[in-house]
Amino acid sequence: MIFTGSMVALVTPMDASGGVDDSQLAGLIEFHLEAGTEAFIIAGTTGESATLSRDEHLRLIQQACKLVGGRVPIIAGTGSNSTAQTLDLSTTVSSLPIDGFLIVTPYYNKPTQQGMFEHFSKIATAVDKPIILYNVPGRTGVDLHPETVARLSVHSNIVGIKEATGDLDRVEILRRICGSDFSLLSGDDLTASDFMLRGGNGVISVTANVVPDKIRLLCDAACSGNQLKAKLIDKKLRSLHHALFVESNPIPVKWAMLQMGLVENGIRLPLTVLAKEHQQNLIESMVEAGVGGISE
């Protein structure tokens, strides 16, 4: 098993004009390392990869590698809806000291299962580091079926999946058909506790941006089968899980982190700052989750 535990889908800190802020990135990384985060996903959905230029994308991953300095794994988000573009970015990033790739299913153009099989197979053959598949139908418009995942899991460079459907029945199915050495990672914070209690290996979490210490505790409890402790931790976080997805990710999480003083008020169009009607509810959920320095 390569990738397990509490893994944060890290936001990309930006200044008020939308420029990537390296100094804030350094602070975020230390914040997470002190809290026990076990791996960083850089330039994923939460990192606004869709609006980063190629040069920004590469620099962001390069800076993260430098700042983390090998203390925990770094997984680089390099997926797109173009096989050629994904290959280009992935092979370029592969020269950096990353530990693997997170590659999303091709979005918008809606490939068939065979198309996705060939897409991921071609990329996995071209790179020399492991790949985590990323299945998030709610954002991509396409679902990578368990049977296709099983076909892909035979490839030596495809080692796991971030499963963000929220369908808990898939844990048992994927474990049975992909084997015990294939990493099953939740991509849905609301169901992550149950996902791990059913045999998943960890979570790639948005909520961990706000409460990394608590997500680490949740992962430790759930992955060790401590159902009572996991459910007690998760109960305090459920309101926050909901509030962080009241608008498209990463709109709410960036606003929450602004309140914590972790980032500036920077986000790129077409995403906008969290609407005022949702702000109080998010504050209340942060207080309930025990976020320090936040008051209602």
Side-chain angles (χ1 to χ4, degrees):
M1 195 71 64
I2 299 176
F3 300 117
T4 62
S6 180
M7 308 165 74
V8 64
L10 196 69
V11 303
T12 298
M14 298 175 180
D15 58 33
S17 63
V20 177
D21 192 312
D22 289 345
S23 63
Q24 290 180 8
L25 179 64
L28 285 183
I29 285 172
E30 293 308 317
F31 169 69
H32 278 281
L33 291 172
E34 289 173 13
T37 293
E38 295 174 277
F40 290 95
I41 286 72
I42 305 296
T45 304
T46 310
E48 296 176 78
S49 57
T51 56
L52 296 175
S53 70
R54 187 179 187 277
D55 286 346
E56 286 176 325
H57 203 132
L58 290 171
R59 176 171 167 76
L60 178 64
I61 296 168
Q62 184 179 40
Q63 285 296 106
C65 289
K66 180 180 177 181
L67 292 165
V68 171
R71 288 175 284 179
V72 298
I74 286 183
I75 296 111
T78 56
S80 76
N81 65 339
S82 162
T83 305
Q85 288 180 20
T86 303
L87 273 169
D88 172 60
L89 185 58
S90 299
T91 53
T92 302
V93 167
S94 191
S95 64
L96 298 174
I98 63 168
D99 297 273
F101 301 94
L102 179 69
I103 300 183
V104 70
T105 53
Y107 42 84
Y108 186 75
N109 44 17
K110 289 185 158 184
T112 63
Q113 295 299 306
Q114 182 61 26
M116 286 189 284
F117 174 78
E118 293 186 22
H119 170 82
F120 284 114
S121 296
K122 187 167 186 175
I123 296 159
T125 299
V127 298
D128 59 0
K129 291 176 181 176
I131 288 172
I132 301 171
L133 309 170
Y134 180 14
N135 188 36
V136 57
R139 294 193 77 125
T140 63
V142 66
D143 183 11
L144 187 65
H145 294 170
E147 295 77 16
T148 308
V149 177
R151 291 176 67 198
L152 289 166
S153 70
V154 176
H155 197 294
S156 60
N157 264 356
I158 297 177
V159 301
I161 184 169
K162 176 184 177 183
E163 177 59 55
T165 59
D167 180 359
L168 292 170
D169 290 336
R170 289 204 176 184
V171 183
E172 182 180 342
I173 295 168
L174 288 166
R175 178 60 71 221
R176 175 170 47 82
I177 62 180
C178 295
S180 60
D181 292 332
F182 194 73
S183 290
L184 302 182
L185 303 167
S186 172
D188 178 57
D189 278 301
L190 194 60
T191 57
S193 178
D194 286 334
F195 185 100
M196 291 181 282
L197 286 168
R198 289 190 180 202
N201 302 109
V203 60
I204 295 177
S205 172
V206 174
T207 305
N209 281 283
V210 179
V211 283
D213 53 343
K214 294 176 175 60
I215 296 297
R216 171 62 191 270
L217 290 172
L218 174 64
C219 289
D220 288 350
C223 289
S224 65
N226 191 333
Q227 182 172 340
L228 178 60
K229 186 174 181 181
K231 288 189 176 297
L232 284 172
I233 297 168
D234 189 55
K235 185 178 180 181
K236 288 197 69 175
L237 299 178
R238 294 194 72 76
S239 176
L240 182 58
H241 293 327
H242 281 289
L244 289 176
F245 290 91
V246 69
E247 289 186 1
S248 297
N249 177 49
I251 290 173
V253 72
K254 275 201 151 181
W255 190 86
M257 295 171 73
L258 173 66
Q259 309 315 303
M260 298 168 69
L262 293 172
V263 299
E264 290 186 36
N265 197 20
I267 196 165
R268 288 188 177 178
L269 287 171
L271 299 184
T272 52
V273 176
L274 182 67
K276 287 185 178 179
E277 61 261 32
H278 300 308
Q279 292 177 6
Q280 184 58 34
N281 180 59
L282 179 48
I283 287 289
E284 291 171 1
S285 74
M286 292 168 72
V287 171
E288 183 178 340
V291 177
I294 302 295
S295 61
E296 298 180 58

